[in-house]
Amino acid sequence: MAIGWMTVLKSVPWGDVISNAPAIADGAQKLWGAARNKVGAAPEPAPAPPASAVDPESPLAAFEARIAQLEANTLALRQQMLESSELITRLADQNSALIRRIEILRRRLVMALLAVTVLAASGLAVTLLR
């Protein structure tokens, strides 16, 4: 199972991921701002009339009840959109932080490998010169 993950991680173009992380975070921030502005400007729906108040014979009353229900559904959907946008923003921020951390770890690994290579080469040189 670890071999599968290593294959997947090796096939990821990390340079592209790292270079695109800020654009993803900016896009998520714009989405969050747009969703917040739209939901904030939404009018409050009229409360749905109780079922007993709606005359089943009056088409206008049934139409008004249907409109009130649709407004309530729209408000609920807008709230879900706001929550989804907030979640996307948090995930994009976490992704950016993760990418930065991976890049730092990659650089440390390269430096450690370089140090080990230098130590091994100098050890070999000392051994051959004796």
Side-chain angles (χ1 to χ4, degrees):
M1 183 167 167
I3 294 173
W5 281 107
M6 290 304 294
T7 304
V8 169
L9 290 175
K10 286 180 183 178
S11 67
V12 172
W14 289 108
D16 294 341
V17 172
I18 291 168
S19 65
N20 288 329
I24 293 170
D26 290 342
Q29 290 291 343
K30 289 177 185 175
L31 176 64
W32 166 246
R36 184 180 50 211
N37 291 340
K38 285 182 182 177
V39 172
E44 288 295 319
S52 61
V54 177
D55 181 15
E57 298 297 320
S58 171
L60 182 60
F63 184 69
E64 288 175 351
R66 178 75 176 146
I67 289 175
Q69 181 62 40
L70 290 173
E71 286 176 344
N73 290 346
T74 302
L75 184 63
L77 288 173
R78 285 184 181 184
Q79 185 62 33
Q80 288 177 0
M81 182 183 68
L82 177 64
E83 291 168 1
S84 296
S85 297
E86 184 177 353
L87 175 64
I88 290 169
T89 301
R90 284 186 281 157
L91 289 173
D93 292 341
Q94 289 176 1
N95 187 36
S96 296
L98 179 64
I99 296 300
R100 283 190 301 272
R101 187 69 180 153
I102 287 173
E103 181 62 21
I104 290 169
L105 291 174
R106 187 191 66 80
R107 288 180 184 164
R108 286 182 184 171
L109 179 63
V110 167
M111 295 302 290
L113 289 174
L114 182 62
V116 167
T117 303
V118 168
L119 287 174
S122 63
L124 180 63
V126 167
T127 303
L128 292 176
L129 292 176
R130 285 187 185 184

